[in-house]
Amino acid sequence: MRLLLVEDEPEVASFIKKSLEEGDYEVTVAMDGTMAWETINSFKYDLLIFDLMLPGINGLELCKKCRQQKILTPILMLTALGATDNIIMGLDSGADDYLTKPFKLTELEARIRSLLRRIRPAENEVTEPPTKNSLAFADVVLDLDEKSVTRNKVPVELTATEFRLLEYLLRNPRKVVSRMDILEKVWGYDFNLNTKVVDVYINYLRKKLDKDSKLKLINTVTGMGYILKEVYNEDPN
Ligand code: CA
């Protein structure tokens, strides 16, 4: 597995690199955003780790540039700030996950494993039989082979994380799923974490899937989580 770590603090960078290399990752370090962008365009990586504050191009801008260029490699953002605004900005700019500094190395490794697992499902993971390659609910169809989604036959562009979130909801229709369930099944975490990221992604999915429709499918159950069911709403906003 080839990782690119973009971190301008040399001591932090070399500590992370050394530790990850013990875990059999191949780690390239870029010390600033400009160098990182050149590297990303020259080599293929399995995962990108961006520090938020960087000289040259900052972590948010790097995320945006990658996604604009259709580079879909998973991105983990490192932020020293931890404020919700920065986390949301990071996710808005196309990052798949974030980690607040200071973090434990075991947590970084867990996040990396989880992100990589999402692009390369484990061999023992249950796969759908070949005849059943799509999931549907109301007028939503999710094609597991093509990784495409339509609503009322109109294509809906989703990111990899949004796709997995929708897939999970479609596999559990008309059933309340908690934020922790979603975090565990969609993000692959089996330890307790802030579930804010779930709310952020539910909102993304709603904007793309439910915004223009009077039939709302993704619904909040206060204090419990979310449910996929048909709720007819005259006011589309
Ligand atoms: Ca920095």
Short mmCIF file of all heavy atoms in Angstrom, two decimals, residues 122-169:
data_model
loop_
_atom_site.label_atom_id
_atom_site.label_comp_id
_atom_site.label_asym_id
_atom_site.label_seq_id
_atom_site.Cartn_x
_atom_site.Cartn_y
_atom_site.Cartn_z
N ALA A 122 -12.53 -6.73 2.19
CA ALA A 122 -11.86 -7.96 2.61
C ALA A 122 -12.43 -9.15 1.83
O ALA A 122 -13.59 -9.15 1.46
CB ALA A 122 -12.06 -8.16 4.10
N GLU A 123 -11.60 -10.13 1.63
CA GLU A 123 -12.02 -11.27 0.81
C GLU A 123 -13.17 -12.05 1.43
O GLU A 123 -13.98 -12.64 0.73
CB GLU A 123 -10.83 -12.21 0.58
CG GLU A 123 -9.96 -11.72 -0.56
CD GLU A 123 -8.70 -12.53 -0.71
OE1 GLU A 123 -8.68 -13.68 -0.24
OE2 GLU A 123 -7.75 -12.00 -1.29
N ASN A 124 -13.23 -12.01 2.76
CA ASN A 124 -14.30 -12.77 3.42
C ASN A 124 -15.59 -11.97 3.54
O ASN A 124 -16.57 -12.43 4.08
CB ASN A 124 -13.84 -13.27 4.79
CG ASN A 124 -13.44 -12.14 5.70
OD1 ASN A 124 -13.54 -10.97 5.34
ND2 ASN A 124 -12.99 -12.47 6.89
N GLU A 125 -15.57 -10.74 3.03
CA GLU A 125 -16.78 -9.92 3.10
C GLU A 125 -17.87 -10.55 2.22
O GLU A 125 -17.61 -10.99 1.12
CB GLU A 125 -16.47 -8.51 2.61
CG GLU A 125 -17.53 -7.50 3.00
CD GLU A 125 -17.05 -6.07 2.79
OE1 GLU A 125 -16.18 -5.62 3.57
OE2 GLU A 125 -17.52 -5.43 1.86
N VAL A 126 -19.08 -10.54 2.76
CA VAL A 126 -20.18 -11.14 2.02
C VAL A 126 -20.47 -10.32 0.76
O VAL A 126 -20.61 -9.11 0.82
CB VAL A 126 -21.46 -11.18 2.90
CG1 VAL A 126 -22.63 -11.77 2.14
CG2 VAL A 126 -21.19 -11.96 4.16
N THR A 127 -20.49 -10.99 -0.36
CA THR A 127 -20.82 -10.26 -1.59
C THR A 127 -22.18 -10.72 -2.10
O THR A 127 -22.62 -11.83 -1.85
CB THR A 127 -19.77 -10.52 -2.69
OG1 THR A 127 -19.56 -11.92 -2.77
CG2 THR A 127 -18.47 -9.83 -2.40
N GLU A 128 -22.81 -9.83 -2.80
CA GLU A 128 -24.12 -10.14 -3.36
C GLU A 128 -24.00 -11.22 -4.42
O GLU A 128 -23.03 -11.25 -5.16
CB GLU A 128 -24.69 -8.88 -4.01
CG GLU A 128 -25.07 -7.81 -3.01
CD GLU A 128 -26.21 -8.24 -2.11
OE1 GLU A 128 -27.23 -8.70 -2.64
OE2 GLU A 128 -26.06 -8.14 -0.89
N PRO A 129 -24.99 -12.10 -4.51
CA PRO A 129 -24.97 -13.06 -5.62
C PRO A 129 -25.02 -12.30 -6.95
O PRO A 129 -25.59 -11.21 -7.02
CB PRO A 129 -26.23 -13.89 -5.42
CG PRO A 129 -27.07 -13.13 -4.45
CD PRO A 129 -26.15 -12.27 -3.65
N PRO A 130 -24.39 -12.86 -8.01
CA PRO A 130 -24.25 -12.12 -9.26
C PRO A 130 -25.57 -11.69 -9.90
O PRO A 130 -25.60 -10.77 -10.69
CB PRO A 130 -23.50 -13.08 -10.17
CG PRO A 130 -23.52 -14.39 -9.48
CD PRO A 130 -23.74 -14.14 -8.04
N THR A 131 -26.65 -12.39 -9.56
CA THR A 131 -27.93 -12.02 -10.17
C THR A 131 -28.57 -10.81 -9.49
O THR A 131 -29.51 -10.24 -10.00
CB THR A 131 -28.92 -13.20 -10.10
OG1 THR A 131 -28.93 -13.68 -8.77
CG2 THR A 131 -28.54 -14.29 -11.07
N LYS A 132 -28.08 -10.47 -8.32
CA LYS A 132 -28.73 -9.40 -7.57
C LYS A 132 -27.73 -8.27 -7.35
O LYS A 132 -27.03 -8.21 -6.36
CB LYS A 132 -29.21 -9.93 -6.22
CG LYS A 132 -30.07 -8.98 -5.43
CD LYS A 132 -30.66 -9.71 -4.23
CE LYS A 132 -31.30 -8.73 -3.26
NZ LYS A 132 -30.37 -8.20 -2.30
N ASN A 133 -27.66 -7.40 -8.33
CA ASN A 133 -26.61 -6.40 -8.29
C ASN A 133 -27.09 -4.98 -8.08
O ASN A 133 -26.36 -4.04 -8.28
CB ASN A 133 -25.77 -6.46 -9.55
CG ASN A 133 -24.95 -7.72 -9.55
OD1 ASN A 133 -24.47 -8.14 -8.50
ND2 ASN A 133 -24.82 -8.33 -10.71
N SER A 134 -28.35 -4.87 -7.69
CA SER A 134 -28.81 -3.52 -7.38
C SER A 134 -29.74 -3.53 -6.18
O SER A 134 -30.31 -4.55 -5.81
CB SER A 134 -29.51 -2.91 -8.60
OG SER A 134 -30.67 -3.65 -8.88
N LEU A 135 -29.83 -2.37 -5.56
CA LEU A 135 -30.72 -2.18 -4.42
C LEU A 135 -31.68 -1.07 -4.81
O LEU A 135 -31.28 -0.12 -5.48
CB LEU A 135 -29.92 -1.75 -3.19
CG LEU A 135 -28.89 -2.73 -2.65
CD1 LEU A 135 -27.98 -2.03 -1.65
CD2 LEU A 135 -29.55 -3.94 -2.01
N ALA A 136 -32.92 -1.19 -4.38
CA ALA A 136 -33.89 -0.17 -4.75
C ALA A 136 -34.81 0.14 -3.59
O ALA A 136 -35.10 -0.71 -2.75
CB ALA A 136 -34.70 -0.63 -5.96
N PHE A 137 -35.25 1.37 -3.54
CA PHE A 137 -36.26 1.79 -2.57
C PHE A 137 -36.98 2.99 -3.16
O PHE A 137 -36.34 3.92 -3.66
CB PHE A 137 -35.60 2.18 -1.24
CG PHE A 137 -36.60 2.50 -0.16
CD1 PHE A 137 -37.16 1.51 0.63
CD2 PHE A 137 -37.02 3.81 0.05
CE1 PHE A 137 -38.09 1.81 1.61
CE2 PHE A 137 -37.95 4.12 1.03
CZ PHE A 137 -38.49 3.11 1.82
N ALA A 138 -38.31 2.96 -3.11
CA ALA A 138 -39.12 4.00 -3.76
C ALA A 138 -38.60 4.17 -5.20
O ALA A 138 -38.50 3.18 -5.92
CB ALA A 138 -39.10 5.29 -2.97
N ASP A 139 -38.21 5.39 -5.58
CA ASP A 139 -37.72 5.58 -6.95
C ASP A 139 -36.20 5.65 -7.02
O ASP A 139 -35.62 6.12 -7.99
CB ASP A 139 -38.36 6.83 -7.58
CG ASP A 139 -38.18 8.08 -6.72
OD1 ASP A 139 -37.60 7.96 -5.62
OD2 ASP A 139 -38.61 9.15 -7.15
N VAL A 140 -35.54 5.18 -5.95
CA VAL A 140 -34.07 5.18 -5.93
C VAL A 140 -33.54 3.80 -6.32
O VAL A 140 -34.02 2.78 -5.81
CB VAL A 140 -33.54 5.54 -4.53
CG1 VAL A 140 -32.03 5.38 -4.46
CG2 VAL A 140 -33.94 6.94 -4.15
N VAL A 141 -32.60 3.78 -7.24
CA VAL A 141 -31.94 2.52 -7.60
C VAL A 141 -30.43 2.70 -7.47
O VAL A 141 -29.86 3.66 -7.99
CB VAL A 141 -32.28 2.08 -9.05
CG1 VAL A 141 -31.55 0.79 -9.39
CG2 VAL A 141 -33.78 1.90 -9.22
N LEU A 142 -29.81 1.79 -6.74
CA LEU A 142 -28.36 1.83 -6.56
C LEU A 142 -27.78 0.58 -7.23
O LEU A 142 -28.14 -0.54 -6.88
CB LEU A 142 -28.04 1.88 -5.06
CG LEU A 142 -26.58 1.87 -4.63
CD1 LEU A 142 -26.40 2.70 -3.36
CD2 LEU A 142 -26.09 0.46 -4.40
N ASP A 143 -26.95 0.80 -8.21
CA ASP A 143 -26.34 -0.30 -8.95
C ASP A 143 -24.97 -0.61 -8.34
O ASP A 143 -24.06 0.22 -8.37
CB ASP A 143 -26.19 0.10 -10.42
CG ASP A 143 -25.74 -1.09 -11.28
OD1 ASP A 143 -24.80 -1.79 -10.86
OD2 ASP A 143 -26.33 -1.29 -12.35
N LEU A 144 -24.86 -1.81 -7.77
CA LEU A 144 -23.63 -2.17 -7.05
C LEU A 144 -22.47 -2.46 -8.00
O LEU A 144 -21.31 -2.33 -7.62
CB LEU A 144 -23.89 -3.40 -6.17
CG LEU A 144 -24.81 -3.13 -4.97
CD1 LEU A 144 -25.40 -4.42 -4.47
CD2 LEU A 144 -24.05 -2.41 -3.87
N ASP A 145 -22.77 -2.87 -9.22
CA ASP A 145 -21.70 -3.14 -10.19
C ASP A 145 -21.16 -1.85 -10.78
O ASP A 145 -19.95 -1.63 -10.82
CB ASP A 145 -22.22 -4.01 -11.33
CG ASP A 145 -22.48 -5.43 -10.85
OD1 ASP A 145 -21.87 -5.81 -9.84
OD2 ASP A 145 -23.29 -6.12 -11.47
N GLU A 146 -22.07 -1.03 -11.23
CA GLU A 146 -21.64 0.22 -11.88
C GLU A 146 -21.34 1.32 -10.88
O GLU A 146 -20.85 2.39 -11.25
CB GLU A 146 -22.73 0.71 -12.83
CG GLU A 146 -22.92 -0.18 -14.04
CD GLU A 146 -23.97 0.40 -14.98
OE1 GLU A 146 -24.50 1.49 -14.70
OE2 GLU A 146 -24.23 -0.25 -15.99
N LYS A 147 -21.67 1.07 -9.59
CA LYS A 147 -21.52 2.09 -8.54
C LYS A 147 -22.24 3.37 -8.95
O LYS A 147 -21.70 4.47 -8.82
CB LYS A 147 -20.03 2.39 -8.27
CG LYS A 147 -19.20 1.17 -7.90
CD LYS A 147 -19.48 0.71 -6.50
CE LYS A 147 -18.65 -0.49 -6.11
NZ LYS A 147 -19.34 -1.41 -5.23
N SER A 148 -23.44 3.20 -9.46
CA SER A 148 -24.19 4.37 -9.88
C SER A 148 -25.53 4.41 -9.14
O SER A 148 -26.01 3.38 -8.65
CB SER A 148 -24.41 4.34 -11.38
OG SER A 148 -25.20 3.22 -11.72
N VAL A 149 -26.10 5.60 -9.08
CA VAL A 149 -27.37 5.79 -8.38
C VAL A 149 -28.28 6.64 -9.26
O VAL A 149 -27.82 7.59 -9.90
CB VAL A 149 -27.14 6.51 -7.02
CG1 VAL A 149 -28.46 6.88 -6.37
CG2 VAL A 149 -26.31 5.64 -6.09
N THR A 150 -29.55 6.26 -9.28
CA THR A 150 -30.52 7.12 -9.94
C THR A 150 -31.68 7.38 -9.00
O THR A 150 -32.00 6.54 -8.15
CB THR A 150 -31.09 6.49 -11.24
OG1 THR A 150 -31.67 5.21 -10.92
CG2 THR A 150 -30.01 6.30 -12.29
N ARG A 151 -32.27 8.55 -9.15
CA ARG A 151 -33.54 8.83 -8.45
C ARG A 151 -34.54 9.24 -9.51
O ARG A 151 -34.27 10.17 -10.28
CB ARG A 151 -33.34 9.94 -7.42
CG ARG A 151 -34.67 10.42 -6.84
CD ARG A 151 -34.75 10.34 -5.34
NE ARG A 151 -36.14 10.27 -4.94
CZ ARG A 151 -36.64 10.83 -3.84
NH1 ARG A 151 -35.83 11.47 -3.02
NH2 ARG A 151 -37.92 10.71 -3.53
N ASN A 152 -35.65 8.54 -9.56
CA ASN A 152 -36.65 8.78 -10.60
C ASN A 152 -35.97 8.75 -11.99
O ASN A 152 -36.21 9.62 -12.82
CB ASN A 152 -37.37 10.10 -10.33
CG ASN A 152 -38.63 10.23 -11.16
OD1 ASN A 152 -39.16 9.24 -11.67
ND2 ASN A 152 -39.09 11.46 -11.33
N LYS A 153 -35.07 7.80 -12.17
CA LYS A 153 -34.33 7.56 -13.41
C LYS A 153 -33.30 8.65 -13.76
O LYS A 153 -32.67 8.59 -14.80
CB LYS A 153 -35.29 7.35 -14.59
CG LYS A 153 -36.22 6.16 -14.39
CD LYS A 153 -36.87 5.76 -15.72
CE LYS A 153 -37.70 4.50 -15.58
NZ LYS A 153 -39.09 4.74 -15.22
N VAL A 154 -33.15 9.63 -12.88
CA VAL A 154 -32.15 10.69 -13.12
C VAL A 154 -30.88 10.33 -12.35
O VAL A 154 -30.94 10.05 -11.15
CB VAL A 154 -32.67 12.07 -12.65
CG1 VAL A 154 -31.61 13.15 -12.86
CG2 VAL A 154 -33.97 12.41 -13.37
N PRO A 155 -29.73 10.30 -13.03
CA PRO A 155 -28.49 9.96 -12.33
C PRO A 155 -28.16 10.94 -11.20
O PRO A 155 -28.36 12.14 -11.33
CB PRO A 155 -27.42 10.06 -13.43
CG PRO A 155 -28.17 9.96 -14.71
CD PRO A 155 -29.52 10.55 -14.46
N VAL A 156 -27.69 10.40 -10.08
CA VAL A 156 -27.28 11.22 -8.94
C VAL A 156 -25.80 10.92 -8.70
O VAL A 156 -25.42 9.77 -8.51
CB VAL A 156 -28.08 10.85 -7.66
CG1 VAL A 156 -27.68 11.73 -6.50
CG2 VAL A 156 -29.59 10.95 -7.92
N GLU A 157 -24.98 11.97 -8.76
CA GLU A 157 -23.54 11.79 -8.57
C GLU A 157 -23.22 11.73 -7.08
O GLU A 157 -23.46 12.69 -6.36
CB GLU A 157 -22.77 12.97 -9.19
CG GLU A 157 -22.81 13.02 -10.71
CD GLU A 157 -21.91 11.97 -11.33
OE1 GLU A 157 -20.87 11.64 -10.72
OE2 GLU A 157 -22.25 11.49 -12.43
N LEU A 158 -22.67 10.61 -6.63
CA LEU A 158 -22.31 10.50 -5.22
C LEU A 158 -20.82 10.23 -5.07
O LEU A 158 -20.21 9.61 -5.93
CB LEU A 158 -23.08 9.34 -4.56
CG LEU A 158 -24.61 9.43 -4.51
CD1 LEU A 158 -25.17 8.22 -3.75
CD2 LEU A 158 -25.08 10.71 -3.86
N THR A 159 -20.26 10.69 -3.96
CA THR A 159 -18.88 10.32 -3.64
C THR A 159 -18.88 8.89 -3.11
O THR A 159 -19.94 8.34 -2.80
CB THR A 159 -18.29 11.24 -2.56
OG1 THR A 159 -19.02 11.02 -1.35
CG2 THR A 159 -18.38 12.71 -2.96
N ALA A 160 -17.71 8.31 -2.97
CA ALA A 160 -17.62 6.92 -2.50
C ALA A 160 -18.27 6.75 -1.12
O ALA A 160 -18.98 5.78 -0.87
CB ALA A 160 -16.16 6.48 -2.47
N THR A 161 -18.04 7.71 -0.25
CA THR A 161 -18.60 7.61 1.10
C THR A 161 -20.12 7.76 1.07
O THR A 161 -20.84 7.02 1.74
CB THR A 161 -17.97 8.67 2.01
OG1 THR A 161 -16.56 8.44 2.05
CG2 THR A 161 -18.52 8.59 3.43
N GLU A 162 -20.60 8.71 0.28
CA GLU A 162 -22.06 8.88 0.17
C GLU A 162 -22.70 7.62 -0.40
O GLU A 162 -23.78 7.21 0.02
CB GLU A 162 -22.37 10.09 -0.74
CG GLU A 162 -21.99 11.43 -0.13
CD GLU A 162 -21.86 12.54 -1.15
OE1 GLU A 162 -22.00 12.30 -2.37
OE2 GLU A 162 -21.58 13.68 -0.73
N PHE A 163 -22.03 7.00 -1.36
CA PHE A 163 -22.54 5.79 -1.97
C PHE A 163 -22.68 4.68 -0.93
O PHE A 163 -23.71 4.02 -0.84
CB PHE A 163 -21.60 5.34 -3.10
CG PHE A 163 -22.09 4.14 -3.88
CD1 PHE A 163 -22.88 4.31 -5.01
CD2 PHE A 163 -21.76 2.86 -3.47
CE1 PHE A 163 -23.34 3.20 -5.72
CE2 PHE A 163 -22.21 1.75 -4.18
CZ PHE A 163 -23.00 1.93 -5.31
N ARG A 164 -21.66 4.53 -0.12
CA ARG A 164 -21.70 3.48 0.92
C ARG A 164 -22.76 3.77 1.97
O ARG A 164 -23.40 2.86 2.49
CB ARG A 164 -20.33 3.32 1.57
CG ARG A 164 -19.35 2.56 0.70
CD ARG A 164 -18.02 2.36 1.40
NE ARG A 164 -18.20 1.66 2.68
CZ ARG A 164 -18.01 0.36 2.85
NH1 ARG A 164 -17.66 -0.39 1.83
NH2 ARG A 164 -18.16 -0.18 4.03
N LEU A 165 -22.93 5.03 2.28
CA LEU A 165 -23.95 5.43 3.24
C LEU A 165 -25.34 5.10 2.69
O LEU A 165 -26.17 4.49 3.38
CB LEU A 165 -23.83 6.93 3.54
CG LEU A 165 -24.86 7.56 4.47
CD1 LEU A 165 -24.91 6.86 5.82
CD2 LEU A 165 -24.57 9.05 4.66
N LEU A 166 -25.56 5.44 1.44
CA LEU A 166 -26.86 5.13 0.83
C LEU A 166 -27.06 3.62 0.72
O LEU A 166 -28.15 3.11 0.99
CB LEU A 166 -26.97 5.79 -0.55
CG LEU A 166 -28.29 5.54 -1.29
CD1 LEU A 166 -29.48 6.08 -0.51
CD2 LEU A 166 -28.25 6.17 -2.69
N GLU A 167 -26.00 2.92 0.37
CA GLU A 167 -26.09 1.46 0.29
C GLU A 167 -26.54 0.88 1.64
O GLU A 167 -27.42 0.02 1.71
CB GLU A 167 -24.74 0.87 -0.13
CG GLU A 167 -24.77 -0.65 -0.23
CD GLU A 167 -23.40 -1.25 -0.54
OE1 GLU A 167 -22.49 -0.53 -1.01
OE2 GLU A 167 -23.25 -2.47 -0.32
N TYR A 168 -25.94 1.39 2.71
CA TYR A 168 -26.30 0.88 4.05
C TYR A 168 -27.76 1.16 4.36
O TYR A 168 -28.48 0.29 4.87
CB TYR A 168 -25.38 1.50 5.11
CG TYR A 168 -25.71 1.02 6.50
CD1 TYR A 168 -25.53 -0.31 6.84
CD2 TYR A 168 -26.21 1.90 7.45
CE1 TYR A 168 -25.86 -0.77 8.11
CE2 TYR A 168 -26.54 1.45 8.72
CZ TYR A 168 -26.37 0.11 9.04
OH TYR A 168 -26.69 -0.34 10.30
N LEU A 169 -28.22 2.38 4.04
CA LEU A 169 -29.63 2.72 4.30
C LEU A 169 -30.56 1.83 3.48
O LEU A 169 -31.59 1.37 3.96
CB LEU A 169 -29.89 4.20 3.99
CG LEU A 169 -29.18 5.23 4.88
CD1 LEU A 169 -29.39 6.64 4.35
CD2 LEU A 169 -29.66 5.13 6.33
#
